[in-house]
Every structure is written in C-alpha cells, then in structure tokens.
Amino acid sequence: MCGRFANTLPSDAMAQLFDAAPANTLPHVPNYNVCPTTDIHVIYRTDDHRRLVPMRWGFVPKWYKAPNDGPLLINARAETLADKPAFREACRVRRCLIPADGFYEWHRPEAGDKQPWFIQPAGEGPMVFAGIWQDWQQDGQRLSTCAMVTTEAQGRMAEIHHRIPVMVRPEHWAKWLGEEGHGAATLMCAAPDEALRFHRVSRAINSNRAVGPELIEELDE
C-alpha cells in the first residue's frame, strides 16, 4: 500500500502541466508528509474539461453514514477494482490523477525494525498516481474523496514492499481520465525498476506531524 507521499509542485504549475482549471482553494504545497484523510491535489475530467481540485485522501462509499463508518480506503487494489462494490462504479466513470514527487514505503528486514524508503521518478517531472474518486453526502455533510490504485510490486520495489501505486505516464493521462475511450485497465501495471529511484530516509517520517524537506533526504549509512 501507499500511506504517505510528498508533493512540492506549486498549484499553478500543476494546473498548467495537466491543462486543468484550478479550484479557488487547494492544499498547501510544499508538503513533504501528505497523510491519509487530508485534502490532496486531484485532477479529474468533467463537462469536457479537466479540473484541479482538493479531495480527501480516503474514499468514502455512498452507503457510509459517516466518513469513519467503515475501513479507511486510501488504496484500491487494481486486481479487484472492477468488482468491489465500493469501487466498481468509480473505476468506470470517475478516474483521476494524483500528482506527487514520490512516496514513502516501509520495509521490515528479518529480525529488524521497519525502515522507511522514498521512491521517486528516475527522470524529470512528477510521479502521477492512478486514482478513483467519489462524492459522498449525508445529513448535509458533503465530501469529495479519492483513493490511489495499487498493484503487485515487481523487481526492486518488491524487495521493499509487495504493493506499489499504479503510475500513469504523461502519454496515458488522457486514457486514464476517460478522454480516449476504453483501455484504461491496461494501464494498471507496476512501473519497471528503471523508471524509479529508491533511497532510505530518516524514521522521522514515522510521525504524521513531521514536516520539512529533510524528510526526503537520503539517510547516511
């Protein structure tokens, strides 16, 4: 799973990069410790244009009576996305993109403590996760919510953790957003090792209150 990530790209740069109309209020950046249940930047398509908006990271199904009425759904498995009642409608008609600099994952060596890693793109540009979104409303409370799509990790990533977020390359953004017809399911695969860089980071990231660019700095061995 992916439970934390970093995002430092300015909101206006995101809007330009994705050719998306920005909402008036967007989450603060830079944020080196984006945590579940907070608002994150999300790009989705509506009324024949893209929008850049804030959404709660933690998908809330329509039948939840409150946002905490069931499990916290920050990730959605690609293998079951089309079948799970919570996600199957969203995977057809409400797909989105989630930009980031990279994400954190924790590896537990044998007989050792969990060690956090930072995984980021090997090349230039942001890391863009495949996501799904859902508007939820109950008793006058309304939330726009989302989850990241994950798949089985391969290669070096699998040595750190068995799951990885699905990453969407720029040439496939339109397909994932539903702008180019069918075929989005073919994009739900793990990024190859050569597309990623890996380094260990400080255990300071273990706290959801930790802040600052030092969180993504490589840990001295």
Side-chain angles (χ1 to χ4, degrees):
M1 64 178 293
C2 174
R4 304 276 186 85
F5 66 94
N7 187 19
T8 66
L9 191 64
S11 295
D12 57 350
M14 280 188 241
Q16 183 176 4
L17 178 64
F18 292 96
D19 191 22
N24 291 330
T25 304
L26 288 164
H28 171 76
V29 283
N31 187 344
Y32 294 91
N33 191 5
V34 182
C35 301
T37 73
T38 61
D39 281 353
I40 63 174
H41 291 80
V42 170
I43 298 95
Y44 77 107
R45 184 171 182 81
T46 182
D47 298 330
D48 295 325
H49 68 276
R50 295 178 184 177
R51 296 194 64 205
L52 172 66
V53 300
M55 288 190 183
R56 176 190 187 265
W57 184 20
F59 190 96
V60 181
K62 290 182 178 179
W63 59 82
Y64 277 23
K65 292 181 171 54
N68 60 354
D69 194 34
L72 179 59
L73 305 175
I74 62 171
N75 297 150
R77 295 173 67 93
E79 298 88 342
T80 57
L81 190 64
D83 302 318
K84 289 286 186 181
F87 302 135
R88 61 191 176 198
E89 182 184 5
C91 86
R92 293 195 305 271
V93 297
R94 290 192 300 277
R95 297 188 297 270
C96 61
L97 300 171
I98 302 171
D101 289 39
F103 67 96
Y104 302 93
E105 195 53 85
W106 282 259
H107 171 62
R108 186 192 293 276
E110 290 187 17
D113 296 329
K114 284 186 177 181
Q115 172 63 54
W117 288 72
F118 188 64
I119 299 96
Q120 61 192 125
E124 296 182 358
M127 178 177 279
V128 181
F129 304 127
I132 54 173
W133 66 275
Q134 169 76 58
D135 278 341
W136 173 88
Q137 186 170 349
Q138 282 283 349
D139 300 326
Q141 184 181 10
R142 184 183 182 278
L143 292 173
S144 292
T145 71
C146 65
M148 289 183 191
V149 180
T150 68
T151 191
E152 186 174 353
Q154 299 179 3
R156 188 177 179 193
M157 183 66 213
E159 298 174 6
I160 299 172
H161 195 272
H162 66 285
R163 304 293 296 177
I164 187 173
V166 171
M167 298 163 207
V168 186
R169 298 196 301 270
E171 63 268 28
H172 295 148
W173 292 347
K175 183 176 290 293
W176 183 255
L177 292 175
E179 298 169 353
E180 295 182 350
H182 302 291
T186 63
L187 305 179
M188 293 191 291
C189 53
D193 280 351
E194 58 267 25
L196 304 172
R197 287 190 289 147
F198 308 78
H199 65 260
R200 292 173 58 190
V201 294
S202 166
R203 287 190 175 92
I205 189 61
N206 291 351
S207 170
N208 60 12
R209 293 185 293 273
V211 296
E214 65 275 8
L215 295 175
I216 66 171
E217 291 178 0
E218 186 168 2
L219 184 69
D220 292 333
E221 297 293 343

